[in-house]
Amino acid sequence: MNTKRCVIYAKDIQRITGRSVRYSHEVIRKIRQLTDKSKGQYVTVAEFSAFSGIPESDVSDYLN
């Protein structure tokens, strides 16, 4: 059974964008700010996709 993640981490963003881990953490912080999430809450693939403009299917390809 092939399960897909719905949560995205800084390391995933680093792989997708080719930017640094620090930049990736900043992106996650900005997404949390825009979605009114607290520090410990997860950022979903859909939220990252909407923020970055990268189609969700393309993001999911990097997560497998």
Side-chain angles (χ1 to χ4, degrees), residues 19-39:
R19 303 283 302 266
S20 69
V21 174
R22 185 175 180 155
Y23 171 81
S24 302
H25 283 286
E26 184 67 22
V27 168
I28 288 177
R29 189 187 66 73
K30 286 179 184 177
I31 293 171
R32 280 194 187 121
Q33 237 178 0
L34 291 172
T35 57
D36 292 326
K37 289 187 172 191
S38 64
K39 187 176 181 180

